[in-house]
Amino acid sequence: MEFAKRLDNVTGSAIRAIFALLEQPGMISFAGGNPAPECFPKEDIAAISQKLISENGAGILQYGGTPGISRLKDTVIQMMKARGINALADEVIITSGATQGIGLAAKTLLNPGDVVLAESPTFIGALQTFLTYEAVIKGVNMDDEGMDMDDLEKKLKAYQPKLVYTIPTFQNPTGRTMSLERRKRMAALCKAHGALILEDDPYCDLRYSGQAAPPIKTFDTEGGVIYLMSFSKIISPGLRVGAAIADKRIIQKYNIAKQGEDLHTANLSQEIVNTFMNSGKAEPHIRLICEKYRDKRDAMLKKLKSFPKGVTYTNPDGGLFIWAELPEGMNAVSMFQQCVDAGVAYVPGTHFFPEGGHENTMRLNFSMASFEQIDKGMDILKSVIEKNM
Ligand SMILES: Cc1ncc(COP(=O)(O)O)c(C=O)c1O
């Protein structure tokens, strides 16, 4: 069988392969990135779905428009206002998750060989998508304040990228948040170099401590930032609903590109999300999941404090991940099997780096495991690390 060449360099997500291992009974997983199953508003969604179908079944079960249901677009516009982003209806498109917002950016903007800059490390799903569209991905260094702006400037000059992809808030995989100063500088630098910014912000409502910084989009004066939001982490990833907010010329292209993908995001999902967000239940629900995740984050951080000297880790104000670095020379890839054999899993950090390397790093997810599992799993991880030191 002969497949299209564009997928030659794209391997299946390492995380998906790791998921297969997690089927083993008793395995404690810090590997996934899923919201906690106990945090889904199941009863509310069941009642909303029932009502929606019985009151407007014919409309919901019919084809819909590509840009999305206008009531939901209005809800997104209101949510954006609270984040400091003023958007008009023709600057918004409902997408099937932020994933589709990334895919449509690649589909509408990238030609084979175009350079995309991204934080190093970054979200594997985005790396896969950019590779599928045959882009060349170059990593930009980061530290505790997010993407390194001097390195960004250097690489903007060196590569003239079309797109700079960033997850500025509670980044996947590091949990880091870009500082206000860097957000402003990033908007100015990319504008000066004619590169579009793809700002992927699915975690911003999962804040457990610290003060929010405005999205980079709020410093966008000329339509140079595509902002992606998602309902996956605050309601449910299975509903597959998010939105892209950008200059109307970009949204028009997104509309055309989306027609050939899924025509439109499922009406039922859109209506459920819209009804839930306007039911008065969304705010308390988000508050509740933030409390739960904050306690889980704290439980994992408390355990990390007792890890051997030389193991460093991030202290995220939100999101779902902590990033740990073992001393130079240690290898989280080869240690992975030992950990799985002992009953605990994580994702080796190397998979998140556009250019590989950094085998001493790992991503730890704290949302999925129970408190007991965090306790036990972190003890196992600590003892395997100690053995390998
Ligand atoms: C940075 C980032 N972007 C996008 C996504 C996918 O989000 P969605 O479910 O909205 O497609 C994820 C999910 O893990 C993510 O971490």
Side-chain angles (χ1 to χ4, degrees), residues 7-220:
L7 285 178
D8 283 357
N9 294 325
V10 187
T11 51
S13 162
I15 301 190
R16 302 239 152 234
I18 287 168
F19 280 165
L21 290 169
L22 307 182
E23 310 274 297
Q24 294 173 26
M27 180 68 66
I28 297 172
S29 174
F30 303 136
N34 298 357
E38 72 269 21
C39 288
F40 295 136
K42 289 189 287 286
E43 284 77 24
D44 291 328
I45 302 262
I48 289 170
S49 310
Q50 171 75 40
K51 193 158 182 288
L52 281 168
I53 294 293
S54 53
E55 288 179 2
N56 183 24
I60 287 170
L61 298 174
Q62 190 51 275
Y63 282 118
T66 304
I69 290 168
S70 53
R71 285 184 297 281
L72 178 57
K73 286 177 58 174
D74 290 343
T75 299
V76 168
I77 288 169
Q78 289 312 315
M79 288 172 77
M80 291 305 103
K81 271 208 184 104
R83 295 181 194 184
I85 298 170
N86 291 311
L88 301 170
D90 58 4
E91 293 168 327
V92 178
I93 181 171
I94 301 301
T95 57
S96 299
T99 299
Q100 189 173 54
I102 300 169
L104 293 176
K107 191 174 185 180
T108 55
L109 294 165
L110 299 178
N111 292 315
D114 280 345
V115 173
V116 176
L117 299 184
E119 279 132 5
S120 177
T122 189
F123 173 46
I124 294 181
L127 290 177
Q128 274 192 312
T129 300
F130 298 139
L131 285 176
T132 301
Y133 285 92
E134 301 174 80
V136 176
I137 308 165
K138 298 284 179 189
V140 182
N141 297 337
M142 69 183 310
D143 60 23
D144 273 344
E145 277 186 62
M147 195 186 275
D148 174 339
M149 290 300 128
D150 291 337
D151 198 40
L152 173 65
E153 186 169 21
K154 196 171 95 190
K155 286 168 180 161
L156 283 167
K157 282 184 188 148
Y159 300 115
Q160 283 125 28
K162 203 172 239 178
L163 199 64
V164 183
Y165 173 71
T166 181
I167 309 153
T169 305
F170 317 138
Q171 199 233 16
N172 180 4
T174 64
R176 289 169 177 147
T177 294
M178 192 187 287
S179 65
L180 174 63
E181 279 318 304
R182 289 198 190 178
R183 287 170 191 242
K184 287 185 192 163
R185 190 161 166 218
M186 182 167 183
L189 278 174
C190 290
K191 182 176 152 192
H193 288 269
L196 285 173
I197 296 175
L198 182 59
E199 180 177 17
D200 187 10
D201 204 13
Y203 297 105
C204 77
D205 286 327
L206 298 185
R207 174 174 288 281
Y208 324 132
S209 52
Q211 282 296 315
I216 300 165
K217 178 78 181 149
T218 61
F219 305 112
D220 175 20

